[in-house]
Amino acid sequence: SSSFDFGAYHTLDDINKELDHLASEYSFVEKIQIGQSYEERPLYVLKFSTGGSNRPAIWLDAGIHSREWVTQASALWIANKIASDYGTDASVTSLLDKMDLFLLPVANPDGFVYTHTSNRMWRKTRSKIPGSVCVGVDPNRNWDAGFGGPGASDKPCSDSYHGPSANSEVEVKSVVDFIKSHGNFKAFLTLHSYSQLLMYPYGYKCTRPDDYAELESLGRAAASSIRSLYGTSFQVGTICNTIYQASGGSIDWSYDNGIKYSFAFELRDTGRYGFLLPATQIVPAAQETWLGLKKIMEHVRNKLY
Amino acid sequence: LETFVGHQVLRIKTKNEEEVKQLQLLESLDHLELDFWINPSAPALPVDVRIPAASVQSVKAFLESQGIEYSILIEDLQDVLDKEKEEMAESAQRQR
């Protein structure tokens, strides 16, 4: 219903109902299924499109690490913001008049349900690993980008286990297949929490990407936009330089596959809560994140390649 | 639903590479069942780790013996989760 509380955490069923609601409320919003998870839950994407076929597009996902609840919650707030601002906000209107936007609010639905029903600390997928008593793969170590290299574990019981092979996780493969078949994505943005970072490639190696200067400058501009609202400070840089070397990550894959504007956000934690951000912080986190995202999206729109 | 009574989350600040190495050693000790929210990587970056109740004392003793600085980020994880659950229930009630 329209009474959905964006300032609260919700179950997967409630989130999916809200996606239906947004799709029914706005003619340019469509809920599409791009695959299903290991436990056969649908992977739903909201497609924001005001016309034209195979327009240049922007990808945005959240919740690949299931316990980082503020990301799924922020994605919903952002979806509602984009939908309601079209036609009234000049920036969103000109963006959607030129490009499509695809938003995956719950990239790891099995893990998300598991955090609600069994273990709030769960981060990985729920796939069974042959020969191991442990379950699940870190889906942000499972992309075909330096797969199996430094910063990922080969131990199935580890929280950063990279999985038996690249794209072994159907949640990852579904996104890869969708993006490849679309063929016209210009930006790949992913929401994580926490630690207030805005990162670009690379993570699997500690060298600068070819577009370093532009990504660094754009990242700083986005961080400045984020800071403008509540003063939240984001550090900007490559994954390797800002946090640590991590192989098999999504934005390294997207960048190496020709999507220049590839960024990962680590949302606010206010220095106290880690990824267990209180619900009162959801809307402020989403509001400031949206300003950063908008800065990047405007740049992409103006610099189509 | 698994409970986390007595689990603490520590924020550890390392001063040098040696201390980072000590934390990486700690990370490899599976029996402590530590959950690193931010893994040890470089002295400039904090390390956040969830420690099950049974391991809290031994991890703190280890850090203190090595002179590694830490603070308590979350005193009792279950308190935080209970509050979160309560807030979700209140929101659901309001919506109904």
Side-chain angles (χ1 to χ4, degrees):
Chain A
S1 84
S2 58
S3 66
F4 187 81
D5 183 357
F6 289 99
Y9 293 116
H10 294 273
T11 62
L12 184 64
D13 285 346
D14 286 346
I15 289 173
N16 286 338
K17 279 178 198 151
E18 182 56 17
L19 300 185
D20 283 333
H21 170 247
L22 287 169
S24 68
E25 191 81 2
Y26 299 97
S27 60
F28 58 93
V29 182
E30 188 185 354
K31 188 179 94 170
I32 57 176
Q33 187 179 343
I34 63 161
Q36 59 180 18
S37 65
Y38 181 82
E39 292 175 344
E40 301 185 343
R41 293 185 175 88
L43 294 166
Y44 289 129
V45 167
L46 282 185
K47 178 183 180 184
F48 298 78
S49 180
T50 60
S53 64
N54 201 38
R55 281 179 167 187
I58 291 172
W59 174 265
L60 174 61
D61 66 67
I64 196 166
H65 288 146
S66 50
R67 65 191 186 180
E68 296 169 5
W69 283 6
V70 71
T71 68
Q72 298 97 339
S74 292
L76 283 176
W77 185 93
I78 288 163
N80 186 57
K81 178 73 176 161
I82 295 167
S84 58
D85 273 6
Y86 180 72
T88 57
D89 177 89
S91 172
V92 171
T93 306
S94 72
L95 179 80
L96 290 184
D97 282 345
K98 201 170 176 182
M99 305 184 75
D100 291 345
L101 175 70
F102 292 85
L103 169 61
L104 172 64
V106 188
N108 175 7
D110 296 348
F112 187 65
V113 168
Y114 200 71
T115 61
H116 279 271
T117 58
S118 299
N119 182 345
R120 177 66 183 85
M121 296 296 117
W122 193 259
R123 159 187 164 103
K124 301 192 284 184
T125 62
R126 292 295 301 162
S127 58
K128 290 187 172 63
I129 311 301
S132 174
V133 291
C134 291
V135 168
V137 164
D138 183 340
N140 205 37
R141 300 289 185 278
N142 189 242
W143 300 68
D144 194 5
F147 176 81
S153 174
D154 58 2
K155 297 188 180 90
C157 298
S158 165
D159 256 348
S160 58
Y161 175 49
H162 52 53
S165 59
N167 297 337
S168 63
E169 302 314 284
V170 67
E171 296 83 356
V172 171
K173 189 171 187 311
S174 298
V175 175
V176 166
D177 289 348
F178 180 74
I179 285 181
K180 279 186 172 172
S181 70
H182 181 282
N184 203 13
F185 275 94
K186 302 299 184 189
F188 185 106
L189 310 170
T190 183
L191 301 184
H192 289 247
S193 83
Y194 59 101
S195 63
Q196 301 176 191
L197 307 172
L198 178 47
M199 299 178 291
Y200 48 87
Y202 285 103
Y204 72 84
K205 58 185 177 183
C206 294
T207 51
R208 290 175 170 180
D210 289 346
D211 300 293
Y212 168 76
E214 186 181 1
L215 296 178
E216 172 70 18
S217 163
L218 178 55
R220 285 184 183 279
S224 175
S225 290
I226 292 169
R227 192 168 53 246
S228 69
L229 193 59
Y230 296 114
T232 309
S233 184
F234 271 53
Q235 198 186 330
V236 178
T238 67
I239 295 171
C240 184
N241 284 339
T242 43
I243 186 146
Y244 38 65
Q245 202 168 1
S247 59
S250 64
I251 64 166
D252 284 356
W253 172 82
S254 56
Y255 186 79
D256 279 348
N257 280 269
I259 304 177
K260 177 162 72 166
Y261 300 110
S262 292
F263 286 94
F265 288 68
E266 295 277 357
L267 306 192
R268 65 154 67 180
D269 59 81
T270 73
R272 293 177 58 193
Y273 303 106
F275 58 81
L276 296 170
L277 205 63
T280 51
Q281 297 278 319
I282 294 171
V283 173
Q287 286 171 325
E288 66 189 13
T289 303
W290 168 238
L291 295 185
L293 288 169
K294 200 158 79 155
K295 179 62 77 176
I296 294 172
M297 289 177 185
E298 286 164 352
H299 183 91
V300 177
R301 177 198 63 202
N302 297 338
K303 299 257 183 185
L304 277 182
Y305 56 94
Chain B
L1 188 64
E2 192 169 329
T3 59
F4 297 90
V5 176
H7 288 223
Q8 288 195 345
V9 181
L10 300 189
R11 174 154 295 173
I12 304 169
K13 287 183 180 162
T14 50
K15 291 192 288 287
N16 51 46
E17 287 293 344
E18 185 53 39
E19 290 189 350
V20 173
K21 283 193 184 125
Q22 296 285 354
L23 294 186
Q24 285 166 340
L25 172 72
L26 199 64
E27 198 180 10
S28 68
L29 302 176
D30 293 342
H31 70 279
L32 293 173
E33 297 181 352
L34 303 181
D35 170 15
F36 280 83
W37 292 5
I38 301 179
N39 299 76
S41 60
L45 296 169
V47 173
D48 288 353
V49 57
R50 172 175 62 86
I51 309 170
S55 303
V56 167
Q57 285 317 314
S58 46
V59 170
K60 284 181 175 174
F62 173 80
L63 295 173
E64 283 157 17
S65 72
Q66 301 297 318
I68 300 174
E69 191 187 328
Y70 70 88
S71 58
I72 298 172
L73 200 62
I74 296 176
E75 184 78 39
D76 189 324
L77 187 57
Q78 194 56 44
D79 287 348
V80 177
L81 300 185
D82 288 344
K83 193 159 189 292
E84 185 180 74
K85 204 172 176 185
E86 205 175 290
E87 284 172 353
M88 270 184 79
E90 280 170 16
S91 164
Q93 188 71 30
R94 275 198 305 274
Q95 283 184 80
R96 272 200 295 275

